[in-house]
């Protein structure tokens, strides 16, 4: 390894398993000191155990790295505040926040309970907002004290948040919200030395084992396992390092050996008559514009 993150302190939420675990190990391998956050819940967010976070900490230490566990609920103010305090208390600083924690409660919209909506939006969207809020407050204070940080935030969206996914209305809405939050945070925090980006990863984890059931068999040519979560982590580590200077407010899709810069909403065909349209005229104009527009990509799972 190159020591890309030597001297930096990184917090990773949801780091007990899957993508979060891969990120934590990858940051440690590049010299970062890591706070491993995880509640140890099931794939649907129920239950909880301290074991997964401590197991990852022990893995990092066994490889010669430094890490501490944090078992707080980052979708609460107390849990998010203590997450930042743990990094500063254990290692004296905070440089990178990787928001990754989440779970699924998939249902078609007509069968989606209010509790399942609230739970998924809470852990994904609120669980991004609160750690970001408290980390940003810390970095703002550092900047005002004359200690300008080279701080980094990596948010975790999804293809479901960019395109939508049938049966995942709650998850898709939360992941789309994370993109909006990322763009606002990048604009608001840049003056304090904070860069904020998002990834939309695809990898084999507990949350995606059904989605990728057909691609979970043997590795491809050369033994490359395209769905391994470890494939996503190199980009996250780079985004979380000082080497990514100048990169902010971006969304990257990443899967296997592929990295794509997602370009988001941009103005397409436009009509302006300089006066109010009637409903019929607005409809006629809209149909003409749609005929000239690029068709949207299909929603995941749509027939």
């Amino acid at each position: 390894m190159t020591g890309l993150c030597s001297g930096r302190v990184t917090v990773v939420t949801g780091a007990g398993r899957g993508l979060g675990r891969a990120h934590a190990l990858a940051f440690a391998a590049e010299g970062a000191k890591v706070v491993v956050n995880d509640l140890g819940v099931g794939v649907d967010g129920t239950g909880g155990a301290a074991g997964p976070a401590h197991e990852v900490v022990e893995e990092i230490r066994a490889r010669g790295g430094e890490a501490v566990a944090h078992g707080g609920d980052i979708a609460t103010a107390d849990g998010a505040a203590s997450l930042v305090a743990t990094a500063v208390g254990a290692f004296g600083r905070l440089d990178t926040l990787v928001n990754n924690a989440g779970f699924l409660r998939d249902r078609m919209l007509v069968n989606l309970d209010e509790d399942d909506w609230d739970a998924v939006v809470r852990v994904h969207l609120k669980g991004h907002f609160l750690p970001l809020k408290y980390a940003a407050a810390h970095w703002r204070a550092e900047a005002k004290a004359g200690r300008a940080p080279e701080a980094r935030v990596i948010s975790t969206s999804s293809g479901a948040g960019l395109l939508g996914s049938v049966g995942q209305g709650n998850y898709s809405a939360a992941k789309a919200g994370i993109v909006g939050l990322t763009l606002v945070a990048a604009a608001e925090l840049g003056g304090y030395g904070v860069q904020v980006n998002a990834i939309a990863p695809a990898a084999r984890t507990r949350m995606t084992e059904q989605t990728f059931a057909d691609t979970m068999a043997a590795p491809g040519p050369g033994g490359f396992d395209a769905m391994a979560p470890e494939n996503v982590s190199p980009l996250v580590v780079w985004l979380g390092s000082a080497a990514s200077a100048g990169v902010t407010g971006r969304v990257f899709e990443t899967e296997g050996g592929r990295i794509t810069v997602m370009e988001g909403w941009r103005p397409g065909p436009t009509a302006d008559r300089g006066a109010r349209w009637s409903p019929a005229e607005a409809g006629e104009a809209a149909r003409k514009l749609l005929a000239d527009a690029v068709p949207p990509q299909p929603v995941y799972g749509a027939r």
Side-chain angles (χ1 to χ4, degrees):
M1 297 297 177
T2 63
L4 187 67
C5 295
S6 180
R8 293 179 68 83
V9 175
T10 298
V11 166
V12 185
T13 69
R17 303 182 180 95
L19 283 168
R21 172 183 174 273
H23 299 339
L25 293 174
F27 272 103
E30 291 292 345
K33 300 172 184 178
V34 184
V35 178
V36 179
N37 163 266
D38 203 280
L39 282 176
V41 299
V43 71
D44 64 350
T46 58
H54 288 283
E55 289 169 7
V56 174
V57 168
E58 290 307 313
E59 282 189 78
I60 291 172
R61 290 175 177 172
R63 300 178 188 186
E66 296 184 58
V68 295
H70 178 269
D73 182 355
I74 46 82
T76 66
D78 287 346
S82 71
L83 180 67
V84 174
T86 295
V88 176
F91 301 123
R93 58 187 297 127
L94 172 61
D95 300 288
T96 300
L97 168 64
V98 181
N99 281 322
N100 170 78
F103 57 75
L104 296 176
R105 294 189 186 177
D106 293 352
R107 300 283 190 280
M108 301 297 280
L109 286 173
V110 295
N111 297 320
L112 184 60
D113 293 336
E114 184 178 359
D115 288 346
D116 292 333
W117 173 275
D118 289 345
V120 169
V121 171
R122 175 185 179 274
V123 71
H124 286 280
L125 189 51
K126 191 175 181 182
H128 269 63
F129 159 63
L130 286 173
L132 174 58
K133 169 186 169 68
Y134 286 98
H138 167 73
W139 289 322
R140 181 181 63 177
E142 288 291 287
K144 288 185 174 181
R147 298 183 294 270
E150 287 185 297
R152 306 287 186 262
V153 179
I154 299 93
S155 304
T156 306
S157 184
S158 167
L162 304 178
L163 300 178
S165 179
V166 171
Q168 294 189 309
N170 48 2
Y171 178 74
S172 297
K175 289 302 192 184
I178 286 167
V179 172
L181 178 63
T182 297
L183 301 179
V184 171
E188 290 186 357
L189 303 178
Y192 302 123
V194 184
Q195 294 181 183
V196 188
N197 295 285
I199 60 166
R204 181 180 59 252
T205 68
R206 293 186 304 161
M207 287 173 55
T208 61
E209 59 186 2
Q210 294 301 316
T211 302
F212 298 128
D214 294 337
T215 58
M216 289 175 64
F224 178 57
D225 181 358
M227 300 313 299
E230 290 78 10
N231 298 331
V232 175
S233 300
L235 175 62
V236 175
V237 170
W238 182 79
L239 288 171
S241 74
S244 65
V247 179
T248 193
R250 293 289 195 164
V251 179
F252 297 86
E253 197 172 56
T254 174
E255 173 186 344
R258 177 176 59 84
I259 297 172
T260 304
V261 177
M262 304 303 287
E263 295 190 329
W265 293 101
R266 293 177 179 273
T270 302
D272 183 357
R273 65 176 299 176
R276 184 178 301 156
W277 304 87
S278 71
E281 290 169 336
E284 182 180 0
R287 289 198 177 277
K288 290 179 179 179
L289 295 174
L290 289 169
D292 294 332
V294 176
Q297 292 186 302
V299 172
Y300 288 107
R303 297 179 180 178

Coordinates of all heavy atoms in Angstrom, one line a residue, residues 210-254:
Q210 N -30.1 -10.9 -2.9 CA -31.2 -11.3 -3.8 C -31.1 -10.6 -5.2 O -31.3 -11.2 -6.2 CB -32.6 -11.0 -3.2 CG -32.9 -11.8 -1.9 CD -32.8 -13.3 -2.2 OE1 -33.4 -13.8 -3.2 NE2 -32.2 -14.1 -1.3
T211 N -30.8 -9.3 -5.2 CA -30.7 -8.6 -6.4 C -29.6 -9.2 -7.3 O -29.8 -9.3 -8.5 CB -30.3 -7.1 -6.1 OG1 -31.3 -6.6 -5.2 CG2 -30.2 -6.3 -7.4
F212 N -28.5 -9.6 -6.7 CA -27.4 -10.1 -7.5 C -27.2 -11.6 -7.5 O -26.1 -12.1 -7.7 CB -26.1 -9.4 -7.1 CG -26.1 -7.9 -7.3 CD1 -25.7 -7.1 -6.2 CD2 -26.4 -7.3 -8.5 CE1 -25.7 -5.7 -6.4 CE2 -26.4 -5.9 -8.6 CZ -26.1 -5.1 -7.6
A213 N -28.3 -12.3 -7.2 CA -28.3 -13.7 -7.1 C -27.7 -14.4 -8.4 O -27.0 -15.4 -8.3 CB -29.7 -14.3 -6.9
D214 N -28.0 -13.8 -9.5 CA -27.5 -14.4 -10.8 C -26.0 -14.1 -11.0 O -25.4 -14.7 -11.9 CB -28.3 -13.9 -12.0 CG -29.7 -14.4 -11.9 OD1 -30.0 -15.4 -11.2 OD2 -30.6 -13.8 -12.5
T215 N -25.4 -13.2 -10.3 CA -24.0 -12.8 -10.5 C -23.1 -13.1 -9.3 O -22.0 -12.6 -9.2 CB -23.9 -11.3 -10.9 OG1 -24.5 -10.6 -9.8 CG2 -24.6 -11.0 -12.1
M216 N -23.6 -14.0 -8.5 CA -22.9 -14.3 -7.2 C -22.1 -15.6 -7.3 O -21.6 -16.1 -6.3 CB -23.8 -14.4 -6.0 CG -24.4 -13.0 -5.6 SD -25.6 -13.1 -4.3 CE -24.6 -13.7 -3.0
A217 N -22.1 -16.2 -8.5 CA -21.4 -17.5 -8.6 C -19.9 -17.3 -8.7 O -19.3 -16.5 -8.1 CB -22.0 -18.2 -9.9
A218 N -19.3 -18.1 -9.6 CA -17.8 -18.1 -9.7 C -17.3 -16.8 -10.2 O -18.0 -16.1 -11.0 CB -17.4 -19.2 -10.5
P219 N -16.1 -16.3 -9.8 CA -15.5 -15.1 -10.4 C -15.3 -15.3 -11.9 O -15.3 -16.4 -12.4 CB -14.2 -15.0 -9.6 CG -14.4 -15.8 -8.4 CD -15.3 -16.9 -8.7
G220 N -15.2 -14.1 -12.5 CA -15.0 -14.1 -14.0 C -13.6 -14.4 -14.4 O -12.8 -14.9 -13.6
P221 N -13.3 -14.1 -15.7 CA -11.9 -14.4 -16.2 C -10.9 -13.8 -15.3 O -11.0 -12.6 -14.8 CB -12.0 -13.7 -17.6 CG -13.4 -13.6 -17.9 CD -14.2 -13.4 -16.6
G222 N -9.8 -14.6 -15.1 CA -8.7 -14.1 -14.3 C -9.0 -14.1 -12.8 O -8.2 -13.7 -12.0
G223 N -10.1 -14.7 -12.4 CA -10.5 -14.8 -11.0 C -11.0 -13.5 -10.4 O -11.2 -13.4 -9.2
F224 N -11.3 -12.5 -11.2 CA -11.9 -11.2 -10.7 C -13.3 -11.4 -10.3 O -14.2 -11.7 -11.2 CB -11.7 -10.2 -11.8 CG -12.3 -8.8 -11.4 CD1 -11.8 -8.2 -10.3 CD2 -13.2 -8.2 -12.2 CE1 -12.3 -7.0 -9.9 CE2 -13.7 -7.0 -11.8 CZ -13.3 -6.3 -10.7
D225 N -13.6 -11.1 -9.1 CA -15.0 -11.2 -8.6 C -15.6 -9.8 -8.7 O -15.3 -8.9 -7.9 CB -14.9 -11.6 -7.1 CG -16.3 -11.7 -6.5 OD1 -17.3 -11.4 -7.2 OD2 -16.4 -12.1 -5.3
A226 N -16.3 -9.5 -9.7 CA -16.8 -8.2 -10.1 C -17.8 -7.7 -9.0 O -17.9 -6.4 -8.9 CB -17.5 -8.2 -11.4
M227 N -18.4 -8.5 -8.2 CA -19.4 -8.1 -7.2 C -18.8 -8.0 -5.8 O -19.5 -7.7 -4.9 CB -20.6 -9.0 -7.2 CG -21.3 -9.1 -8.6 SD -21.6 -7.4 -9.3 CE -22.6 -6.6 -8.1
A228 N -17.5 -8.2 -5.6 CA -16.9 -8.1 -4.3 C -17.0 -6.6 -3.8 O -16.7 -5.7 -4.5 CB -15.5 -8.5 -4.3
P229 N -17.4 -6.4 -2.5 CA -17.5 -5.0 -2.0 C -16.1 -4.3 -2.0 O -16.1 -3.1 -2.1 CB -18.1 -5.2 -0.6 CG -17.9 -6.6 -0.3 CD -17.9 -7.4 -1.6
E230 N -15.1 -5.1 -1.9 CA -13.7 -4.5 -1.9 C -13.4 -3.7 -3.2 O -12.5 -2.9 -3.2 CB -12.7 -5.6 -1.7 CG -12.7 -6.2 -0.3 CD -13.8 -7.2 -0.1 OE1 -14.5 -7.6 -1.0 OE2 -14.0 -7.6 1.1
N231 N -14.1 -4.0 -4.3 CA -13.9 -3.2 -5.5 C -14.3 -1.8 -5.4 O -13.8 -0.9 -6.1 CB -14.7 -3.9 -6.7 CG -14.3 -5.3 -7.0 OD1 -13.1 -5.7 -6.7 ND2 -15.2 -6.1 -7.4
V232 N -15.3 -1.5 -4.5 CA -15.8 -0.1 -4.4 C -14.9 0.7 -3.6 O -14.7 2.0 -3.8 CB -17.2 -0.2 -3.8 CG1 -17.7 1.2 -3.5 CG2 -18.2 -0.9 -4.7
S233 N -14.2 0.1 -2.6 CA -13.4 0.9 -1.6 C -12.3 1.7 -2.1 O -12.0 2.8 -1.6 CB -12.9 -0.1 -0.5 OG -14.0 -0.7 0.1
P234 N -11.5 1.3 -3.2 CA -10.4 2.2 -3.6 C -10.9 3.6 -4.0 O -10.2 4.6 -3.6 CB -9.9 1.4 -4.8 CG -10.2 0.0 -4.5 CD -11.5 0.0 -3.9
L235 N -12.0 3.7 -4.7 CA -12.5 5.1 -5.0 C -12.9 5.8 -3.7 O -12.6 7.0 -3.6 CB -13.7 5.0 -5.9 CG -14.4 6.3 -6.3 CD1 -13.4 7.3 -7.0 CD2 -15.6 6.1 -7.1
V236 N -13.5 5.2 -2.8 CA -13.9 5.8 -1.5 C -12.6 6.3 -0.8 O -12.6 7.4 -0.2 CB -14.7 4.8 -0.7 CG1 -15.0 5.4 0.7 CG2 -16.0 4.4 -1.4
V237 N -11.6 5.4 -0.7 CA -10.4 5.8 0.0 C -9.7 7.0 -0.7 O -9.3 8.0 0.0 CB -9.4 4.6 0.0 CG1 -8.0 5.1 0.5 CG2 -9.9 3.5 0.9
W238 N -9.7 7.1 -2.0 CA -9.1 8.2 -2.7 C -9.9 9.5 -2.5 O -9.4 10.5 -2.2 CB -9.1 7.9 -4.2 CG -8.4 9.1 -5.0 CD1 -7.1 9.4 -5.1 CD2 -9.1 10.1 -5.7 NE1 -6.9 10.5 -5.9 CE2 -8.2 11.0 -6.3 CE3 -10.5 10.4 -6.0 CZ2 -8.5 12.1 -7.0 CZ3 -10.8 11.5 -6.7 CH2 -9.8 12.3 -7.2
L239 N -11.3 9.4 -2.5 CA -12.1 10.5 -2.3 C -11.9 11.0 -0.8 O -12.1 12.2 -0.5 CB -13.6 10.2 -2.5 CG -14.0 10.0 -4.0 CD1 -15.4 9.5 -4.0 CD2 -13.9 11.4 -4.7
G240 N -11.6 10.1 0.1 CA -11.4 10.4 1.5 C -10.0 10.9 1.8 O -9.7 11.2 3.0
S241 N -9.2 11.0 0.8 CA -7.8 11.4 1.1 C -7.5 12.8 0.6 O -8.3 13.4 -0.1 CB -6.8 10.4 0.3 OG -6.9 10.7 -1.1
A242 N -6.4 13.4 1.0 CA -6.0 14.7 0.5 C -5.7 14.7 -1.0 O -5.8 15.8 -1.6 CB -4.8 15.2 1.3
A243 N -5.5 13.5 -1.6 CA -5.2 13.5 -3.0 C -6.3 13.9 -3.9 O -6.2 14.2 -5.1 CB -4.7 12.1 -3.4
S244 N -7.5 13.9 -3.3 CA -8.7 14.2 -4.1 C -9.0 15.7 -4.1 O -10.1 16.1 -4.4 CB -10.0 13.5 -3.6 OG -10.3 13.9 -2.2
A245 N -8.1 16.5 -3.8 CA -8.3 18.0 -3.7 C -8.9 18.5 -4.9 O -8.5 18.2 -6.1 CB -6.9 18.7 -3.5
G246 N -10.0 19.3 -4.7 CA -10.7 20.0 -5.9 C -11.9 19.2 -6.4 O -12.6 19.7 -7.2
V247 N -12.1 18.0 -5.8 CA -13.2 17.2 -6.3 C -14.3 17.3 -5.2 O -14.2 16.8 -4.1 CB -12.8 15.7 -6.5 CG1 -14.0 14.9 -6.9 CG2 -11.7 15.6 -7.5
T248 N -15.4 17.9 -5.6 CA -16.5 18.0 -4.6 C -17.8 18.2 -5.3 O -17.9 18.7 -6.5 CB -16.3 19.2 -3.6 OG1 -17.2 19.1 -2.5 CG2 -16.4 20.5 -4.3
G249 N -18.9 17.8 -4.7 CA -20.2 17.9 -5.3 C -20.5 17.0 -6.4 O -21.3 17.2 -7.3
R250 N -19.8 15.8 -6.4 CA -19.9 14.9 -7.5 C -20.5 13.6 -7.0 O -20.4 13.2 -5.9 CB -18.5 14.6 -8.1 CG -17.9 15.7 -8.8 CD -18.6 16.0 -10.1 NE -17.8 16.9 -11.0 CZ -18.0 17.1 -12.3 NH1 -19.0 16.4 -12.8 NH2 -17.3 17.9 -13.0
V251 N -21.1 12.8 -8.0 CA -21.7 11.5 -7.7 C -21.0 10.5 -8.7 O -21.0 10.7 -9.9 CB -23.2 11.5 -7.9 CG1 -23.8 10.1 -7.7 CG2 -23.9 12.5 -7.0
F252 N -20.5 9.5 -8.1 CA -19.8 8.4 -8.9 C -20.5 7.1 -8.8 O -20.8 6.7 -7.7 CB -18.4 8.2 -8.4 CG -17.5 9.4 -8.5 CD1 -17.4 10.4 -7.5 CD2 -16.6 9.5 -9.6 CE1 -16.6 11.5 -7.6 CE2 -15.8 10.6 -9.7 CZ -15.7 11.6 -8.7
E253 N -20.8 6.5 -9.9 CA -21.3 5.1 -9.9 C -20.1 4.2 -10.0 O -19.2 4.4 -10.8 CB -22.3 4.9 -11.0 CG -23.2 3.7 -10.9 CD -24.3 3.6 -11.9 OE1 -23.9 3.6 -13.1 OE2 -25.4 3.5 -11.6
T254 N -20.1 3.2 -9.2 CA -18.9 2.3 -9.2 C -19.4 0.8 -8.9 O -20.2 0.6 -8.1 CB -17.9 2.7 -8.1 OG1 -16.9 1.7 -8.0 CG2 -18.5 2.9 -6.7

